[in-house]
Amino acid sequence: KKIYKHFVKMLSTLKQSAYVLAKNNFCPRLVSKWAFVDAKLSEVKDAGTWKNELMILGKQAPSIKVDGQSKEMLNFCANNYLGLSSHPLVVEAAIEAIKTHGNGYSSVRFICGTSDLHKQLEAKIAAFHDREDAILYPSCFDANAGIFEVLLNDADAVISDELNHASIIDGIRLCKARRLRYAHSDMGHLRRLLEESRDCTTRLVATDGVFSMDGDVAKLAEIAALAKEFNAITFVDECHSTGFLGARGRGTEEHCGLEQGSIDIVNSTLGKALGGAAGGYTCGPTSVVSLLRQRSRPYLFSNTLPPAVVGAAIRVFDLLASGETDWPQRLRDNTRRFRGAMQEAGFQVAGDPDCPICPVMLWQERLAKDFAERMQSAGMFVVAFSYPVVPRGKARIRVQLSAGHSAEQIDRVVGEFVRVGRELKVVA
């Protein structure tokens, strides 16, 4: 193994050297013009961060057929929190929308890409979050990329939690505002940064509602109080909370005991709990939404969402607003069942007790990798997360629960965790 690792490292060095020589015209015929790409790929592999993509044969569900596997695997990796990705009512609504509105509009919204379905969905989103208005995007990544440069200029400041999602980070990079980061959920540090930025015209505090790697919830009540004290705007990304967190599934505000509308701007996605397809949105004051329609580049220069996605999302919001479904409560029950059983078995599960993102902490990178591979061999689809996705020494297996999981499926995955945990001497 040592010889092999040394050989791989030497080969990577040779590729990089050949690229440098070619780039400086010392020996241009030795390598192709894509040698620099090969060198970058080698760096990824050498760092142990190469990502393999699982191929699902069929629909997204708690139990999935995977290419290369003879039996179905239990899926505990998806963001399918309410189990709606393939729900018959959602699929039916998508099909009906295609029949009435076609496959797509072949245009951006302000030219000829706005339909009655888009306006219906935006109205339902605004009502669900108790905001004045909403605007649709192809994804929440686009929504996050399109908001900060529109609202803020070089006289302003944006203050962001250090563990915010990559899309928030990239969106902030696009704006000219002063960029400040506070230590994760450290309200004392946030206060100091608000005080330090008093000279700025506008200050915006940005946070995830639920942090996807750790399953913890932002201290939204404290953030809202600080923002009010310092006259700052509040922004929250609700991708991992909309539809299921809180008593009625209204998200982090409800979970934290805040009144709907306490946070100024909410961004979220249609691609997780709300049907699992695609699409994102911003909701907030009418003036903000109107400005985004005029200036937000991802909105102005991207094709509109297709009817199937919009029709399915309309059905999801109607079902959630009716109060007749038990999906949020079922997800809470499943989450508590898994967390309780795992903790009783001796595992450390990070995150909020009601959060379906359940990081099983294993700490060591190699241990997490071996653990996940043994779980997969037993038909449990879970994935290990290690550096650089999470900090060194904080490797874990991130389990994600769904309302679609049965109690029997949860008990099975817990049983396999215990079996493998004993084999690897993680639990007694």
Side-chain angles (χ1 to χ4, degrees), residues 101 104-122 134-136 293-294 299-300 302-307 310:
H101 289 71
Y105 281 91
S106 308
S107 183
V108 299
R109 287 284 295 268
F110 82 93
I111 299 177
C112 62
T114 297
S115 79
D116 58 326
L117 287 181
H118 294 117
K119 302 307 290 185
Q120 287 177 39
L121 178 55
E122 287 169 339
I135 178 174
L136 290 169
R293 291 193 195 280
Q294 301 303 315
Y299 177 82
L300 290 170
S302 296
N303 257 24
T304 187
L305 278 177
V310 181

Side-chain angles (χ1 to χ4, degrees), residues 83-109:
L84 302 182
S85 296
S86 304
H87 193 283
L89 292 176
V90 177
V91 173
E92 177 186 51
I95 293 172
E96 185 61 29
I98 290 178
K99 288 180 178 178
T100 58
H101 289 71
N103 187 56
Y105 281 91
S106 308
S107 183
V108 299
R109 287 284 295 268

Side-chain angles (χ1 to χ4, degrees), residues 118-135 242 248-251 253-254 259-261 266 274 281-286 289 314 316-318 320-322:
H118 294 117
K119 302 307 290 185
Q120 287 177 39
L121 178 55
E122 287 169 339
K124 290 179 185 296
I125 289 170
F128 184 84
H129 288 283
D130 197 18
R131 262 62 178 194
E132 293 178 358
D133 204 353
I135 178 174
T242 301
R248 301 173 303 143
R250 292 314 193 263
E253 274 183 326
E254 187 174 61
E259 291 184 5
Q260 290 289 99
V266 170
L274 305 179
Y281 57 83
T282 295
C283 58
T286 300
V289 171
I314 288 172
V316 171
F317 276 107
D318 284 344
L320 290 175
S322 72

Side-chain angles (χ1 to χ4, degrees), residues 348-350 360-368 385-387 390-397 426:
Q348 182 174 343
V349 184
V360 180
M361 302 304 297
L362 296 171
W363 312 108
Q364 302 171 32
E365 279 75 11
R366 173 56 62 181
L367 173 61
F385 288 76
S386 58
Y387 181 83
V390 295
R392 290 189 188 276
K394 291 189 176 182
R396 80 281 305 267
I397 290 176
V426 174

